Amino acid sequence: MEIKPVHKASCHCGAVVLELTMPNGLEDPRRCTCSMCRKRGAIAASVLLENLRIVQGEENLTLYQFNTMTAKHYFCKTCGIYTHHQRRSNPHQFAINVACLEGVNPYELEPVKIVDGIAHPSDK
């Protein structure tokens, strides 16, 4: 599996296409225990806000927020796939859905660390 310094990602139907600048490869791949992450089951990795560019389909993204309304979770309106979110714990970063990366099989990353999103640092 090759992670390119500039990598494309897309939702299932292809309506949303992202370009990610990842000079250090996958940074901080993880699963989270918060209610949202548990239900979607995605492996997330981090990129700086300026390192994510929506190439196609911005109008096809829908936003979901809950609890503190801080994190911004984006999904394709057509196929429902979670593509990325602006992080609550670090609002200067997006977390990207590793499974959306072209040519990447997230199962090859196992085991992936699990972070405690239930006891979120912002809640202390």
Side-chain angles (χ1 to χ4, degrees):
M1 170 173 56
E2 178 189 5
I3 305 296
K4 301 171 188 155
V6 178
H7 210 104
K8 292 249 182 193
S10 62
C11 63
H12 186 259
C13 70
V16 176
V17 178
L18 309 174
E19 183 180 85
L20 306 162
T21 302
M22 302 187 305
N24 302 316
L26 284 180
E27 292 194 36
D28 193 25
R30 64 203 174 274
R31 293 187 190 277
C32 175
T33 63
C34 81
S35 61
M36 180 64 146
C37 292
R38 274 194 329 265
K39 289 186 183 272
R40 72 176 166 223
I43 297 171
S46 297
V47 298
L48 295 174
L49 295 182
E50 60 268 21
N51 288 346
L52 183 148
R53 186 171 72 88
I54 300 169
V55 175
Q56 173 185 307
E58 185 168 6
E59 71 287 349
N60 213 54
L61 285 170
T62 191
L63 171 66
Y64 177 69
Q65 293 180 279
F66 67 100
N67 192 16
T68 64
M69 307 299 279
T70 305
K72 297 175 181 175
H73 303 264
Y74 294 95
F75 297 81
C76 173
K77 289 180 190 177
T78 304
C79 65
I81 293 296
Y82 150 72
T83 55
H84 65 290
H85 73 276
Q86 188 170 2
R87 297 181 62 196
R88 177 179 174 202
S89 56
N90 186 343
H92 302 290
Q93 292 180 336
F94 283 117
I96 54 144
N97 181 350
V98 171
C100 291
L101 294 169
E102 282 185 7
V104 172
N105 179 350
Y107 296 103
E108 291 178 13
L109 297 174
E110 299 293 351
V112 174
K113 79 174 178 180
I114 297 172
V115 297
D116 185 1
I118 294 171
H120 196 281
S122 298
D123 292 338
K124 295 178 182 180

